[in-house]
Amino acid sequence: MQEPNSSISSFKQFLLKILLPLILIIGAGGYVFNYLFEQQIVFKSQGCGAYKVNRILYTTAPDEIPIFGSSRAEGGLLPDSIGKNYFNYGISATKYNVTLFFLEQECMKKKNTPWILLNLDLNGLEYGPGDLSNYIPNSGSEPVRALLDSYYMAYFRIPFIRYYGCFETYLRSYMNDKLELKKVNNKGASIEKKHHAQRAIC
Amino acid sequence: MLLVASCFFYMFFKPVYILILAFTIVIDYVAGIMLENEPDKKKKKKYLVFSILANVGVLAVFKYYNFLDGSFTSLASLGGLKINIPYLSILLPIGLSFHTFQAMSYTIEVYRGHQKAERHFGIYALYVMFYPQLVAGPIERPQNMIHQFYARHQFNYNNAVHGLNLIVYGLFKKIVVADRLSEYVNQVYLHPANANSFSVLLAVCFFSIQIYCDFSGYSDIARGTARVMGFDLMINFNRPYLSTSISEFWTRWHISLSTWFRDYLYIPLGGNRAGKWRMYRNLLIVFLVSGLWHGARWTFVVWGALHGMYTLFGLLTRTSWTKLAAATGFNRLPALQTILSRLVVFVLVTFAWIFFRAESFSKASAMIHKLFAGDYSSNLVQLSAEKGPLNLVLSFFVIGLLLLSYKLPYDLKLKNSLPFLAITTFIIIILGKYAGAEFIYFQF
């Protein structure tokens, strides 16, 4: 039978030898991994929703004509086939409030061009943020928090942990961008290869 | 305190079902005391039969009523009779088969005189309800558990670290491996018509690994949780796919259930003491009942029957195999013999899992038909079961990680646990499936 003192010293030992070092290792390692993952994967794939949200928040290209909308925009409008300065911000499964968010961010920028291409249809006239992984890397931004509203989770602010269950989503986006197995990617647009070939013939 | 926690844990699912548990606890508690106090053997037997009937009765109503009803109606309609017995639309209480079997082992052990009747109602209730193993085992014996509830448990460094190792490894098996493979498996089993032979082959092999990781992962978490608190639960899995025969497989897979059937069904039926043919009959009965224990469906019975036949075939041909190995010189290559035996066991077990996983015979036959259809087209959509190539690559990757984990010391008693805990936690966070499926064995 253990004495209470030995129980306390045992707990201290557990705390100092296992729990605290474990938290430190995961915290430090996770922070580094989080940084590398965001810089090398998430923000390196133009087709990724998180990249698009980041781009609309923090990048200003005065001559860029943005294309906003959902998957119909993303998979239907190829920037290079329209003109030189287009970028497709379409994100799959987004609703009107997300398009509105993009519009608001765009309207705050100083631009040389008044043009914005907007792809709206009846399916988009619902309310909801769509896939939350589109916002997690930018969840520190006030407009994103306002957009997410009740969908915002406190753990979105914890590096590394916040991506639990989402790493695969970003990796898939990245691989789709780089490998182009089934889709052709062009400045944020992502179009099925067979459709792309048909359009080229037209 | 533990009892309150266990009640809270159980009631989290469906509060009213605690009454079913309370019913069996009261019956078996009283039966235990009566069994101990009764000197007359005949009366003792009556009490035991009453207690077993009460437990089996609960199982029959909640788990097997609709199955028996459906089977009886179908049988009657074959004979031209139209019978309409109403179905019970009730949800199966979580872990019913597990805690019922655990409760039965108590009364049987008291009857046999191996265990003293527990007078403390709270301790007995805790024996049935101890939350780490309440919903999916291991199915414990009173000799192993009850004395542990009397002991005073204090925080112990070694227990806590060992427990944490088991919990983290169990989570790895469940969240990283089982839930990853379930993506592929579920898709193929949902639409076998869309799959080709290769994807069906992959799906059935993946399911073998999925169910192992799902169930043994739960057992590891249960053992780890108990271990942190200072309790010892029995080992339920011992790397079963390393078995070289089906008999050995059953000494490594769901050990708490197979030993339960051995002690409380196989041996009372006569075991291997009443001649060869009686032994074969007993083995078949045990496997059929084991199949039925898993679920109220004929596919489970077929799964059990297949294992029964595998075991009988193994026993009947054992000498012939030994002679053949000696005659061909194969016995001089023990490593190759072991590899081949393991492969054969894996193939046989995997084939039987088809019936376990399929919801119906038509689904099972569709899977088997596809498996042998010889359609090995290299269609990427079919190969990846419409889940994308990344999911397939990750599925193989996590299987690789699982195999790598076999290099770790058995039962995870590590000299330095920190690197293991850190690396495994990293893997869980990066590769874990979010909002994955619940544990497969929760339904039993």
Side-chain angles (χ1 to χ4, degrees):
Chain A
M1 180 75 67
Q2 274 186 303
E3 292 302 314
N5 278 345
S6 91
S7 176
I8 291 166
S9 71
S10 206
F11 184 69
K12 272 185 189 166
Q13 199 187 357
F14 178 71
L15 210 65
L16 294 173
K17 276 187 166 178
I18 298 291
L19 215 55
L20 285 176
L22 190 64
I23 292 169
L24 276 175
I25 291 170
I26 291 168
Y31 191 82
V32 173
F33 188 90
N34 181 86
Y35 177 78
L36 292 173
F37 188 74
E38 282 180 357
Q39 297 308 313
Q40 298 305 317
I41 305 288
V42 181
F43 299 141
K44 278 279 166 72
S45 51
Q46 293 193 334
C48 178
Y51 168 84
K52 292 175 181 176
V53 172
N54 187 270
R55 186 183 169 104
I56 197 73
L57 285 170
Y58 304 114
T59 308
T60 306
D63 296 320
E64 182 183 275
I65 300 169
I67 300 164
F68 296 138
S70 63
S71 55
R72 259 81 60 193
E74 188 190 17
L77 297 162
L78 214 59
D80 277 351
S81 66
I82 309 172
K84 226 170 90 181
N85 291 322
Y86 289 82
F87 189 85
N88 194 323
Y89 286 91
I91 300 177
S92 178
T94 50
K95 310 298 178 195
Y96 81 87
N97 55 322
V98 179
T99 308
L100 201 61
F101 160 80
F102 273 92
L103 270 173
E104 280 170 0
Q105 299 309 311
E106 179 66 11
C107 292
M108 282 194 275
K109 292 176 183 173
K110 284 185 178 170
K111 303 286 293 256
N112 297 334
T113 167
W115 299 107
I116 289 173
L117 270 176
L118 205 57
N119 184 307
L120 273 181
D121 52 44
L122 282 174
N123 290 328
L125 293 177
E126 290 166 9
Y127 184 90
D131 188 353
L132 294 180
S133 68
N134 294 325
Y135 312 101
I136 295 173
N138 301 295
S139 55
S141 137
E142 204 45 56
V144 170
R145 284 183 72 161
L147 171 71
L148 289 178
D149 194 22
S150 61
Y151 293 95
Y152 181 82
M153 301 285 168
Y155 79 90
F156 287 174
R157 300 299 296 271
I158 308 169
F160 187 53
I161 301 287
R162 63 181 170 181
Y163 290 123
Y164 174 66
C166 299
F167 286 100
E168 192 185 341
T169 313
Y170 301 115
L171 195 60
R172 191 181 293 124
S173 245
Y174 178 79
M175 286 173 71
N176 282 342
D177 248 36
K178 303 297 166 200
L179 299 175
E180 295 197 329
L181 284 175
K182 289 193 305 188
K183 290 180 174 178
V184 175
N185 303 300
N186 174 243
K187 292 181 180 169
S190 182
I191 186 165
E192 293 282 342
K193 271 187 174 173
K194 52 183 177 185
H195 295 153
H196 183 249
Q198 281 166 1
R199 274 173 208 202
I201 292 164
C202 292
Chain B
M1 188 74 176
L2 266 176
L3 186 61
V4 172
S6 301
C7 287
F8 179 75
F9 180 78
Y10 194 77
M11 288 166 78
F12 211 78
F13 164 65
K14 202 167 173 24
V16 73
Y17 281 172
I18 193 99
L19 296 175
I20 303 164
L21 208 54
F23 170 76
T24 51
I25 286 171
V26 170
I27 294 270
D28 294 325
Y29 171 75
V30 175
I33 293 170
M34 287 170 81
L35 277 167
E36 196 174 63
N37 291 345
E38 184 58 59
D40 184 0
K41 274 193 173 181
K42 274 187 181 173
K43 278 190 177 170
K44 253 181 146 175
K45 206 167 195 169
K46 270 185 192 168
Y47 295 146
L48 177 70
V49 169
F50 174 74
S51 149
I52 289 175
L53 280 179
N55 284 293
V56 175
V58 170
L59 268 179
V61 172
F62 287 92
K63 190 167 177 175
Y64 299 106
Y65 175 83
N66 287 341
F67 166 70
L68 292 171
D69 180 0
S71 304
F72 186 68
T73 314
S74 306
L75 202 69
S77 70
L78 280 176
L81 287 168
K82 236 185 176 179
I83 300 170
N84 196 7
I85 309 166
Y87 267 76
L88 275 181
S89 48
I90 43 171
L91 220 70
L92 180 69
I94 198 161
L96 181 69
S97 305
F98 287 94
H99 57 73
T100 307
F101 267 43
Q102 181 150 323
M104 282 202 279
S105 75
Y106 167 77
T107 42
I108 298 170
E109 291 297 333
V110 173
Y111 171 78
R112 288 178 177 176
H114 298 159
Q115 171 69 34
K116 279 194 163 187
E118 181 52 54
R119 307 276 158 169
H120 191 302
F121 183 74
I123 295 282
Y124 175 71
L126 190 57
Y127 161 71
V128 180
M129 294 189 70
F130 186 45
Y131 76 88
Q133 37 97 242
L134 174 62
V135 289
I139 303 165
E140 277 294 350
R141 304 299 171 83
Q143 295 96 319
N144 182 35
M145 287 311 291
I146 288 179
H147 70 92
Q148 293 194 57
F149 295 128
Y150 277 103
R152 200 170 157 209
H153 296 275
Q154 288 185 325
F155 192 87
N156 176 285
Y157 174 79
N158 292 329
N159 283 348
V161 174
H162 184 215
L164 205 58
N165 286 349
L166 289 169
I167 293 172
V168 168
Y169 188 55
L171 285 171
F172 161 76
K173 279 179 175 172
K174 167 66 181 159
I175 300 171
V176 176
V177 187
D179 288 352
R180 163 73 51 196
L181 300 180
S182 75
E183 290 261 311
Y184 194 94
V185 172
N186 292 349
Q187 188 62 26
V188 173
Y189 270 89
L190 192 65
H191 302 294
N194 296 350
N196 64 15
S197 300
F198 198 72
S199 46
V200 170
L201 180 67
L202 273 183
V204 295
C205 289
F206 280 179
F207 183 70
S208 286
I209 301 164
Q210 183 202 339
I211 193 161
Y212 163 63
C213 287
D214 191 285
F215 193 17
S216 72
Y218 179 85
S219 295
D220 288 338
I221 295 168
R223 285 188 63 228
T225 312
R227 192 91 187 110
V228 169
M229 294 187 283
F231 295 92
D232 256 327
L233 296 182
M234 71 183 290
I235 293 173
N236 216 11
F237 288 86
N238 178 13
R239 299 178 176 177
Y241 292 130
L242 296 184
S243 310
T244 52
S245 68
I246 294 291
S247 319
E248 190 192 345
F249 176 82
W250 280 104
T251 61
R252 288 166 171 261
W253 179 277
H254 202 175
I255 299 164
S256 64
L257 181 72
S258 45
T259 49
W260 196 101
F261 277 122
R262 181 197 64 201
D263 294 346
Y264 304 130
L265 187 62
Y266 179 69
I267 292 172
L269 282 171
N272 50 7
R273 292 158 301 167
K276 227 165 38 174
W277 294 107
R278 278 284 290 273
M279 179 181 85
Y280 297 153
R281 185 207 66 171
N282 296 342
L283 275 172
L284 261 183
I285 291 173
V286 167
F287 278 108
L288 287 174
V289 176
S290 163
L292 207 55
W293 176 89
H294 280 85
R297 247 182 9 221
W298 285 108
T299 48
F300 286 115
V301 180
V302 170
W303 170 79
L306 274 173
H307 273 278
M309 286 191 285
Y310 292 161
T311 310
L312 290 195
F313 183 75
L315 287 174
L316 287 167
T317 57
R318 193 161 49 188
T319 9
S320 314
W321 288 118
T322 318
K323 277 181 189 168
L324 190 71
T328 53
F330 198 58
N331 57 352
R332 272 173 279 160
L333 302 164
L336 191 65
Q337 211 175 355
T338 308
I339 292 170
L340 208 67
S341 307
R342 282 176 181 166
L343 193 68
V344 170
V345 169
F346 184 77
V347 169
L348 292 174
V349 171
T350 297
F351 182 77
W353 285 132
I354 295 175
F355 290 92
F356 190 96
R357 174 61 181 80
E359 299 90 10
S360 59
F361 282 121
S362 58
K363 200 46 98 45
S365 94
M367 289 291 288
I368 294 166
H369 177 76
K370 269 280 172 181
L371 189 61
F372 296 108
D375 172 15
Y376 292 106
S377 53
S378 55
N379 180 335
L380 190 64
V381 178
Q382 281 184 319
L383 280 181
S384 60
E386 299 165 48
K387 290 286 173 188
L390 183 62
N391 183 60
L392 188 61
V393 171
L394 287 176
S395 300
F396 282 111
F397 182 68
V398 296
I399 292 171
L401 287 178
L402 178 73
L403 292 175
L404 205 65
S405 75
Y406 272 29
K407 297 269 178 204
L408 292 166
Y410 181 68
D411 207 26
L412 296 174
K413 283 180 177 155
L414 308 169
K415 275 185 188 162
N416 184 6
S417 293
L418 195 58
F420 165 77
L421 288 170
I423 292 169
T424 315
T425 311
F426 257 97
I427 292 171
I428 291 171
I429 296 172
I430 294 169
L431 293 173
K433 294 292 285 180
Y434 187 68
E438 71 170 30
F439 288 95
I440 295 173
Y441 267 69
F442 274 15
Q443 60 183 302
F444 306 135

